[in-house]
Amino acid sequence: MEQYDLAVIGSGPGGYVAAIRSAQLGYKTVIIEKYNTLGGTCTNVGCIPTKALLDSTHHYHDALHKFGAHGIDVGSVQLNFDQLYKRKTEVVLKNTQGLDFLMKKNNITHLQGTASFADHSILRVTDEDGSVMTIKADQYIIATGSKPATIPGVVIDKKRIITSTEALSLKEQPKSLVIVGGGVIGVEMASIFNRIGTKVTILEYTDNLIATMDCDLGKSLKKIMSKEGIDVCLQQSVYKAENLGNTAKVWFKDQQGKEQEMEADYILVAVGRKPYTENLGLENTNVQLSTKGTIVVNENLQTSVPGIYAIGDVIGGAMLAHKAEKEGVFVVERINGQKHHIHYDRIPSVVYTWPEVSSVGATEEELKQKGLEYTIGKFPFSANARARAGMDTEGFVKVLADPKYGELLGVHIIGARAADLIAQAVVGLEYEVTVEDMARISYAHPTYAEVLKESYTIASGLPSINI
């Protein structure tokens, strides 16, 4: 039986980062992954391939609709769907190869197979051929992530009723697509397919898109997506879907409770994800699960069994790759005796539509619910010189601040490069910088970041100088 200091189960962002940090600190480390590539959902069928398609379709959409205004005559623009998906696959391959290199560089043992606890201290790893290897580790980190969820009455058959995973491996461009769910995955998928000419309809149960973020962001995103030709239907209650062979049909109740049905080439279910704990052998341990199926952990991310930790999607909370990475480092450094901390309210969220959407800190709705006073600094991209030059004038920055001390409470962005701009706001929140200080630092001109500057200025009560 091979003995390790630390065994990591799952090789997504949380798992591979935890393994690398463990090896850096001198621990004999093993990482176990059931699939034949490292990287988990994010690298293989999530963040990375989705962003590859978002970038490619963004270029195609700009060639159709913006190049002419820039004085670029490209003639007849044609979409090569096969090449679109081929490039996505190549991007994924380069990332998984990079992870293989990092495992070897850091002397991390990589075992392919399904890991299952025999008891609190022994792990069985079963490979594709059914062969079983038994290992033992002083510490374990469960980083098995999540898988797509569905709703009652909708069975995902992976043929016509699909998830984002299947959407990333389609053989031909669909003419029509109904997306059930207007969260992050739903709106990103809608952007990809709408840009290449697929007729897209979003059916969202709540009264706003990206409902977990500040409401102003969802309202603005709905207007933008509707203008681009996406049918966004809010307060729609889907209760049934059926594969019709060459198409699929979905049944739902509209805002008035009236029965409706819609047919499309595919029904894409994007109603969130659920923790993946199947076949882990947790029944052979005292590891506890919550009513939602997440693994219960304490403030140190330790389960009810000393020596067994869990991180990422499998413990719930925001299902973000960078949250899992943060937790992976946190656990390993805590095991090492370091005093690492995580401020969950300072972890940003991003939606990679165009314009992009990003958010960190408290939303306006949360502040109202808590009865807290706040000031708002809001400034549009349309008044920004760099945005005008780049023809990216949609959106705004919204800053929330404490009126007494000027403490930065939350920053919410919809606009060009929002995914990158939010990093500056994270620094402000993490180190408790006031909005006045954020406004007074120097910003390069002309840049999109100046929209942040003006929003901080307004929130602090300083006189604003439009740019």
Side-chain angles (χ1 to χ4, degrees):
M1 185 186 300
E2 191 71 24
Q3 175 78 40
Y4 296 92
D5 297 322
L6 180 69
V8 181
I9 307 169
S11 70
Y16 73 71
V17 167
I20 292 170
R21 188 69 186 113
S22 171
Q24 288 173 341
L25 291 172
Y27 296 118
K28 184 180 179 182
T29 306
V30 60
I31 190 166
I32 304 111
E33 172 57 57
K34 68 176 182 177
Y35 295 113
N36 57 11
T37 56
L38 296 171
T41 294
C42 176
T43 304
N44 292 279
V45 291
C47 320
I48 304 305
T50 303
K51 278 31 170 204
L53 289 179
L54 281 162
D55 278 348
S56 294
T57 57
H58 188 185
H59 290 314
Y60 175 68
H61 188 266
D62 278 356
L64 288 176
H65 302 286
K66 287 188 176 183
F67 278 14
H70 286 285
I72 305 170
D73 184 3
V74 293
S76 178
V77 179
Q78 300 294 325
L79 177 73
N80 185 331
F81 188 80
D82 290 341
Q83 176 59 28
L84 182 78
Y85 271 59
K86 180 183 176 183
R87 193 191 84 89
K88 175 266 301 179
T89 302
E90 291 170 349
V91 171
V92 170
L93 179 61
K94 288 179 181 178
N95 278 272
T96 55
Q97 288 174 338
L99 292 176
D100 289 336
F101 170 77
L102 287 173
M103 296 304 115
K104 293 174 183 176
K105 177 185 177 182
N106 288 282
N107 296 315
I108 298 167
T109 301
H110 170 205
L111 299 179
Q112 184 183 345
T114 301
S116 178
F117 284 97
D119 56 31
H120 293 165
S121 61
I122 296 175
L123 200 68
R124 296 193 186 100
V125 181
T126 307
D127 65 18
E128 291 179 338
D129 299 329
S131 301
V132 179
M133 175 187 293
T134 304
I135 67 170
K136 189 172 184 179
D138 296 333
Q139 313 282 348
Y140 292 95
I141 297 178
I142 301 171
T144 47
S146 61
K147 62 180 181 178
T150 188
I151 52 178
V154 178
V155 178
I156 298 167
D157 64 11
K158 299 185 179 182
K159 296 176 181 178
R160 290 288 169 183
I161 304 170
I162 62 175
T163 69
S164 58
T165 300
E166 293 75 44
L168 291 168
S169 58
L170 293 176
K171 300 302 180 184
E172 59 183 9
Q173 179 187 345
K175 294 182 176 65
S176 57
L177 178 68
V178 172
I179 299 176
V180 181
V184 176
I185 296 173
V187 296
E188 289 186 355
M189 285 289 153
S191 294
I192 289 170
F193 288 100
N194 177 67
R195 290 171 187 166
I196 61 175
T198 299
K199 177 57 186 174
V200 178
T201 302
I202 296 176
L203 302 177
E204 165 57 33
Y205 180 75
T206 68
D207 62 357
N208 208 2
L209 293 178
I210 49 174
T212 59
M213 301 178 83
D214 191 278
C215 280
D216 278 354
L217 298 177
K219 290 175 183 176
S220 181
L221 184 61
K222 179 182 182 297
K223 291 179 182 177
I224 293 167
M225 298 190 90
S226 297
K227 187 166 64 175
E228 291 176 346
I230 299 170
D231 288 338
V232 181
C233 306
L234 303 176
Q235 295 178 287
Q236 310 293 309
S237 180
V238 173
Y239 61 88
K240 182 183 176 183
E242 185 178 338
N243 183 339
L244 302 179
N246 294 324
T247 60
K249 184 179 286 190
V250 63
W251 286 261
F252 57 97
K253 293 182 180 179
D254 62 19
Q255 293 181 26
Q256 289 74 40
K258 185 178 178 181
E259 302 278 348
Q260 304 283 356
E261 59 185 58
M262 191 174 293
E263 190 173 336
D265 287 351
Y266 295 94
I267 309 298
L268 196 163
V269 181
V271 293
R273 299 178 65 85
K274 58 184 180 180
Y276 192 87
T277 58
E278 294 176 10
N279 303 316
L280 264 177
L282 297 182
E283 67 277 5
N284 300 321
T285 72
N286 291 329
V287 173
Q288 297 178 0
L289 299 179
S290 72
T291 55
K292 294 181 179 180
T294 58
I295 294 178
V296 177
V297 293
N298 62 17
E299 66 277 5
N300 293 318
L301 304 186
Q302 187 180 68
T303 69
S304 45
V305 177
I308 301 179
Y309 299 81
I311 61 173
D313 290 3
V314 80
I315 66 171
M319 291 189 172
L320 301 167
H322 47 283
K323 167 186 170 285
E325 291 178 358
K326 186 77 172 171
E327 290 172 338
V329 174
F330 171 88
V331 168
V332 173
E333 292 189 352
R334 280 278 175 162
I335 290 172
N336 189 246
Q338 300 181 40
K339 302 298 182 182
H340 193 109
H341 294 281
I342 299 177
H343 297 114
Y344 283 100
D345 61 338
R346 299 169 191 176
I347 295 177
S349 297
V350 178
V351 185
Y352 294 90
T353 50
W354 195 266
E356 293 172 335
V357 187
S358 61
S359 180
V360 67
T363 66
E364 187 174 357
E365 292 71 38
E366 288 169 344
L367 295 177
K368 284 180 179 178
Q369 189 176 24
K370 293 177 181 178
L372 298 176
E373 293 185 359
Y374 58 92
T375 59
I376 297 178
K378 197 171 183 181
F379 196 80
F381 277 76
S382 60
N384 174 266
R386 182 66 182 86
R388 291 194 195 110
M391 295 179 66
D392 281 314
T393 56
E394 298 275 13
F396 58 84
V397 170
K398 177 180 178 181
V399 169
L400 303 172
D402 171 63
K404 186 175 182 180
Y405 299 107
E407 179 187 357
L408 187 59
L409 301 176
V411 177
H412 311 281
I413 310 172
I414 178 168
R417 307 300 174 199
D420 299 303
L421 293 174
I422 200 65
Q424 189 236 40
V426 174
V427 173
L429 277 168
E430 184 69 28
Y431 294 101
E432 300 178 355
V433 183
T434 68
V435 284
E436 181 174 341
D437 287 337
M438 296 293 279
R440 289 190 181 277
I441 61 175
S442 181
Y443 292 72
H445 176 76
T447 58
Y448 294 115
E450 289 174 292
V451 184
L452 275 168
K453 174 187 177 181
E454 292 302 319
S455 299
Y456 293 133
T457 299
I458 295 167
S460 67
L462 293 170
S464 175
I465 303 172
N466 287 4
I467 50 173

